[in-house]
Amino acid sequence: MPKRSEEMLMDLWMSLLLVWITCVPCVSMSPIIGQSKSTHTGGSTAVASGLGEGQRLLSRAKRGWVWNQMFVLEEFTGPDPILVGRLHTDLDVGNKNIKYVLAGEGAGTIFAINELTGDIHAMKRLDREEKAEYTLTAQVINADTDEPLEPPSEFIIKVQDINDNPPQFTEGPYQASVPEMSAVGTPVARVTATDADDPVYGNSAKLVYSILEGQPYFSVDPNSATIKIALHGMDREMREEYLVVIQAKDMGGHMGGLSGTTTVTVTLTDINDNPPKFSKSLYEFVIPEDLPLGKMGGKVKANDRDIGENARSTYRIIEGDDQGIFEIFTDTQTQEGILRLRKPLDYESKRSFTLKVEASNIHSEPSNSGPFKDTATVKIVVEDSDEPPVFSKPMYLLEVNENAPINTVIGTVTARDPDSTGSQVRYFIDRHTDLERQFNINVDDGKITLAKPLDRETDMWHNITVTATEVRNQISRAIVAIRVMDINDNAPEFATENEAFLCENGKPGQVIQTISAMDKDDPIQGHYFNYRLVPEMLNNPNFTIKNNQNNSISILAKHDTFRRQKQEMYFLPIIVTDNGNPPMSSTNTLTIRVCGCSKDGIVQSCNVEAYVLPIGLSMGALIAILACIILLLVIVVLFVTLRRHKNEPLIIKDDEDVRENIIRYDDEGGGEEDTEAFDIATLQNPDGINGYLPRKDIKPDLQFMPRAGQNRCLKRKKKTVNNKGDHLFEFFLE
């Protein structure tokens, strides 16, 4: 209560002070008889003060205006204009011929002056926040002549502030964040309010901040408006967001001051202050022994109350997996630990596993103590599955000699049933890999035998697939690669064509041809060929052979008397033998043609006829001449043929048989008149009469009507009737 009384007393004194400031200028200026007189250059001031009725005290002082600054209270409202102040000059001694004139900012609109008394009134309500002061000019002039009696003097009217503007938070509402578990006094945010009132006059713009909502978690500094942590151990996992209301009050926070508020939303940011925690201490999984590698066998989850990077955990197996059968990794989306196989399970070997899994944070706060990890037990039971047979090898490599007898055993494949039942295994060949059925397999013991003879030169490798099947139709497959081993069953032969050319003008010992051999066999130690002439050619007078020591020989000529007229072609049989066991040999005949060659040894012609050609006439010229002769003969034959066809008559006539020709037709006759429709010229020239062709626009029976002066040459000789009832006529030419 005493504090409240002091505030009320202070407000009362402030109100009285404002009234005094407003009223004193009016009261103090009314008894003044003479005011100081102003000039542009300065001077002295005479002040007259009434001390009593009929008394006057005159004094002389330095010239200056007492009224050079006036005040008016803002936002003043009333029925009459508010009196700002009064101007008075020494010249105003009661005569009425002076007039006060006001000029400057707002003169005549905002401010008005009484021309006779010098009273200045504010005509409108003023707002200091719009304009704080006005500069005006006062002057005294002669009312009759309007001549200035004194130089103009400048003065200022200031708008005096009142507390009419509340504090405002222009940037609110605010958002702020602070790490959880921050210490008491940790700054969170700073808010700022502004007051449009005059900061240098009174306490209208002196602000004091307080917190209306948000306690006991936060506090605010009353002067700097800094929001701070006020409660220890604020946990984001308990509450993440807080709403704080801040108030700013002017007048230094005293009674009667105006206030404004804003809100600050404070969010606690996460720190890694919570370890991962498994939802249960024991996990149990049943995994079939045929689970493929890399497939999920189970999953565990350690929950972390933190968020973001602070909640990320990693998993690892720390006990129970000495053989490295399992592995666990973290699903980045769900933060679960995925358990999967690295090695296949075997129910017959081990039927259960007990693992210990640990989950730990990837990131941890250095200030936090204690292990940020948790462990759980994972028990895995292996479920028995019907497994397919298992081959002793994933791939078998067998060898067999080519031309081996049918039913020869090439090799054996074996497979077993890994299940505890140990079912019997049966073997088959996948015939899609043995379309020609060259191999067979024993269904009980897996022995592979030969069904057809093999030829290494045709196929060196055969890849077949063998399947092993148990009672429950579980199937396994294995690849069997069969290599056909070579035996010496092919004789060598010449690698190129068996033909060579010999120049007539060659020298003795010249190399006619170099011969090499090839063998379809492929011995391990490589090929070595032996060449020799057939026994009857050992004493050949024309040719001999030379071994080049590189599995090839050269054919040499023994003399230079080879002539095409004497013998055009020679045959040289050569025996080629390989080094196989047993050795194989073949006889290859080399054909040697005697040819005409140039001086450089280039073969030009190997034909006997070419020798008798004139010297200087080439083969190309001979061919061209022969072609021209053939073309001339063809032209002559065509010309003769055309001439013969042109001179041949269109109808071959025989004078002896002309009158014996009989014309027959099957038509019903009309009697004797029918003979008048024919002319002998028609019979002699059926293509036209006297050079005229038949007309198509006349009926056929009228085409050859006899002309005037022509004789009728046909005479009916006999009329008969056939078995169909048709009348037949026979005519003779006269």
Side-chain angles (χ1 to χ4, degrees):
M1 291 299 293
K3 186 175 181 181
R4 179 81 174 183
S5 301
E6 290 179 1
E7 292 180 355
M8 294 178 64
L9 184 60
M10 183 64 69
D11 293 339
L12 179 60
W13 278 108
M14 290 297 296
S15 302
L16 292 175
L17 179 62
L18 291 175
V19 172
W20 181 80
I21 292 173
T22 306
C23 298
V24 165
C26 301
V27 175
S28 62
M29 295 179 75
S30 58
I32 295 178
I33 298 174
Q35 288 286 0
S36 52
K37 186 176 182 180
S38 173
T39 63
H40 289 287
T41 59
S44 60
T45 304
V47 179
S49 176
L51 300 176
E53 185 177 357
Q55 295 181 354
R56 178 179 296 176
L57 178 63
L58 298 175
S59 62
R60 197 75 177 171
K62 186 176 180 180
R63 187 175 180 87
W65 291 104
V66 177
W67 44 264
N68 63 349
Q69 192 172 60
M70 296 182 181
F71 297 91
V72 60
L73 197 65
E74 69 169 331
E75 303 292 346
F76 184 84
T77 59
D80 299 322
I82 182 174
L83 179 63
V84 178
R86 175 179 294 175
L87 300 179
H88 192 76
T89 180
D90 295 342
L91 301 177
D92 187 3
V93 291
N95 91 17
K96 303 297 184 181
N97 64 343
I98 66 172
K99 183 171 61 174
Y100 294 94
V101 178
L102 187 65
E105 296 178 342
T109 57
I110 300 176
F111 302 102
I113 188 170
N114 189 316
E115 296 179 352
L116 300 177
T117 63
D119 293 338
I120 300 175
H121 292 83
M123 309 301 294
K124 297 181 178 180
R125 186 175 65 177
L126 301 179
D127 187 0
R128 189 200 68 83
E129 285 70 40
E130 292 183 3
K131 190 172 180 62
E133 61 182 29
Y134 298 85
T135 302
L136 295 98
T137 302
Q139 191 176 21
V140 179
I141 63 173
N142 190 304
D144 297 331
T145 63
D146 291 336
E147 294 180 359
L149 301 178
E150 285 185 355
S153 296
E154 187 178 89
F155 66 97
I156 297 173
I157 298 178
K158 286 190 175 183
V159 182
Q160 195 169 15
D161 182 56
I162 65 172
N163 190 19
D164 61 340
N165 290 281
Q168 293 183 354
F169 293 91
T170 57
E171 297 180 1
Y174 297 87
Q175 299 285 337
S177 61
V178 64
E180 62 175 331
M181 298 295 177
S182 296
V184 175
T186 301
V188 177
R190 183 179 180 181
V191 296
T192 303
T194 59
D195 196 320
D197 293 325
D198 191 354
V200 299
Y201 178 77
N203 293 328
S204 298
K206 185 178 181 181
L207 305 180
V208 176
Y209 298 91
S210 61
I211 183 168
L212 301 181
E213 185 178 339
Q215 296 174 330
Y217 309 104
F218 302 95
S219 63
V220 64
D221 187 281
N223 298 318
S224 65
T226 301
I227 303 173
K228 300 179 181 179
I229 295 291
L231 185 63
H232 177 73
M234 296 179 66
D235 191 0
R236 185 201 65 84
E237 287 72 34
M238 298 298 296
R239 183 177 176 182
E240 184 176 6
E241 191 173 270
Y242 297 84
L243 182 65
V244 180
V245 179
I246 302 296
Q247 181 190 62
K249 189 174 183 180
D250 59 12
M251 296 299 293
H254 294 93
M255 182 179 294
L258 303 177
S259 64
T261 60
T262 187
T263 59
V264 181
T265 302
V266 181
T267 303
L268 297 182
T269 59
D270 183 62
I271 64 172
N272 192 14
D273 59 339
N274 293 281
K277 187 70 176 176
F278 283 103
S279 57
K280 52 185 179 179
S281 59
L282 177 63
Y283 294 85
E284 293 184 351
F285 303 111
V286 177
I287 301 178
E289 65 172 330
D290 57 353
L291 181 70
L293 299 182
K295 294 295 184 179
M296 183 184 70
K299 56 185 178 180
V300 298
K301 176 69 180 294
N303 299 310
D304 196 324
R305 297 176 64 191
D306 297 321
I307 59 174
E309 291 293 321
N310 296 326
R312 292 182 59 188
S313 300
T314 181
Y315 300 85
R316 66 189 184 101
I317 300 173
I318 58 176
E319 292 181 10
D321 188 24
D322 299 334
Q323 300 178 357
I325 297 177
F326 302 94
E327 66 177 349
I328 189 169
F329 71 97
T330 304
D331 188 334
T332 57
Q333 300 296 326
T334 63
Q335 291 298 309
E336 294 176 322
I338 308 301
L339 192 70
R340 62 186 181 185
L341 293 180
R342 294 178 59 191
K343 297 179 181 180
L345 297 173
D346 187 6
Y347 173 82
E348 288 71 27
S349 299
K350 192 170 184 179
R351 301 185 179 185
S352 66
F353 297 86
T354 301
L355 309 178
K356 192 173 184 180
V357 178
E358 179 186 79
S360 59
N361 280 147
I362 297 177
H363 304 285
S364 61
E365 297 293 336
S367 59
N368 293 333
S369 60
F372 275 74
K373 59 183 66 175
D374 192 20
T375 59
T377 302
V378 178
K379 186 175 182 180
I380 299 173
V381 177
V382 181
E383 184 181 41
D384 187 24
S385 300
D386 187 13
E387 300 176 85
V390 179
F391 281 95
S392 60
K393 297 179 182 179
M395 181 176 180
Y396 294 85
L397 178 61
L398 306 178
E399 294 181 349
V400 60
N401 291 328
E402 63 175 329
N403 297 331
I406 296 177
N407 296 327
T408 299
V409 177
I410 302 174
T412 303
V413 296
T414 57
R416 65 176 182 85
D417 184 6
D419 296 323
S420 56
T421 56
S423 301
Q424 184 180 1
V425 178
R426 299 173 65 83
Y427 304 91
F428 301 93
I429 293 178
D430 185 353
R431 291 305 178 183
H432 292 91
T433 61
D434 184 26
L435 297 176
E436 297 181 2
R437 296 182 176 270
Q438 294 178 299
F439 306 97
N440 290 325
I441 190 170
N442 190 297
V443 296
D444 296 323
D445 56 15
K447 289 184 179 180
I448 300 175
T449 57
L450 190 63
K452 292 182 180 179
L454 301 177
D455 185 6
R456 190 202 67 85
E457 287 71 38
T458 303
D459 288 309
M460 185 182 299
W461 287 92
H462 297 270
N463 294 320
I464 63 175
T465 300
V466 175
T467 61
T469 308
E470 61 167 327
V471 176
R472 289 181 291 274
N473 293 326
Q474 291 287 341
I475 299 176
S476 294
R477 299 176 182 271
I479 303 298
V480 179
I482 301 174
R483 180 180 180 182
V484 182
M485 305 301 294
D486 182 51
I487 64 172
N488 194 26
D489 59 344
N490 290 279
E493 56 187 15
F494 284 171
T496 58
E497 296 182 359
N498 303 338
E499 188 173 19
F501 300 94
L502 173 63
C503 292
E504 289 181 315
N505 56 355
K507 297 179 180 180
Q510 67 174 335
V511 178
I512 300 173
Q513 182 77 308
T514 299
I515 299 298
S516 62
M518 60 170 291
D519 195 332
K520 294 181 180 179
D521 296 322
D522 187 16
I524 299 176
Q525 66 274 16
H527 287 293
Y528 177 78
F529 300 119
N530 180 31
Y531 301 86
R532 69 180 186 275
L533 297 175
V534 295
E536 55 270 20
M537 287 289 182
L538 292 178
N539 297 322
N540 191 315
N542 299 315
F543 307 100
T544 185
I545 62 176
K546 175 187 175 183
N547 192 344
N548 296 327
Q549 303 300 324
N550 59 356
N551 275 346
S552 67
I553 59 172
S554 297
I555 310 300
L556 306 178
K558 287 186 175 182
H559 56 82
D560 59 353
T561 59
F562 295 97
R563 296 294 181 268
R564 281 176 287 176
Q565 295 81 5
K566 179 179 178 182
Q567 186 172 347
E568 179 185 4
M569 192 177 300
Y570 295 88
F571 299 98
L572 186 63
I574 300 175
I575 299 175
V576 185
T577 306
D578 61 18
N579 60 335
N581 185 18
M584 301 288 291
S585 62
S586 66
T587 301
N588 298 266
T589 301
L590 178 65
T591 302
I592 302 174
R593 292 180 178 275
V594 181
C595 304
C597 302
S598 64
K599 294 180 180 181
D600 299 332
I602 300 175
V603 176
Q604 291 183 340
S605 176
C606 297
N607 297 326
V608 177
E609 294 77 8
Y611 184 78
V612 299
L613 293 175
I615 299 175
L617 188 60
S618 64
M619 181 62 68
L622 179 63
I623 294 174
I625 293 173
L626 183 61
C628 293
I629 294 173
I630 293 173
L631 181 61
L632 290 175
L633 291 175
V634 170
I635 293 173
V636 170
V637 171
L638 290 175
F639 179 76
V640 172
T641 303
L642 290 175
R643 290 288 297 174
R644 290 183 61 187
H645 280 286
K646 184 176 180 181
N647 295 330
E648 184 178 357
L650 297 176
I651 298 178
I652 300 175
K653 300 179 181 180
D654 191 351
D655 295 337
E656 298 177 357
D657 299 334
V658 168
R659 297 184 182 272
E660 298 296 327
N661 291 334
I662 300 174
I663 305 301
R664 297 175 179 267
Y665 72 98
D666 295 336
D667 193 6
E668 294 183 1
E672 295 295 335
E673 295 178 357
D674 290 342
T675 59
E676 296 179 358
F678 296 93
D679 193 343
I680 189 61
T682 302
L683 299 178
Q684 294 179 349
N685 188 7
D687 292 337
I689 302 174
N690 296 332
Y692 294 97
L693 295 175
R695 294 178 60 183
K696 296 181 179 180
D697 56 343
I698 302 176
K699 294 182 180 181
D701 53 351
L702 301 179
Q703 285 282 342
F704 305 109
M705 293 295 294
R707 299 178 183 177
Q710 289 183 343
N711 297 323
R712 294 179 175 87
C713 301
L714 297 179
K715 181 179 180 182
R716 186 172 63 182
K717 180 180 181 181
K718 183 180 180 181
K719 178 180 180 181
T720 60
V721 179
N722 60 7
N723 55 359
K724 295 181 180 181
D726 298 331
H727 296 276
L728 302 179
F729 297 90
E730 295 181 2
F731 297 90
F732 293 95
L733 296 177
E734 294 181 355

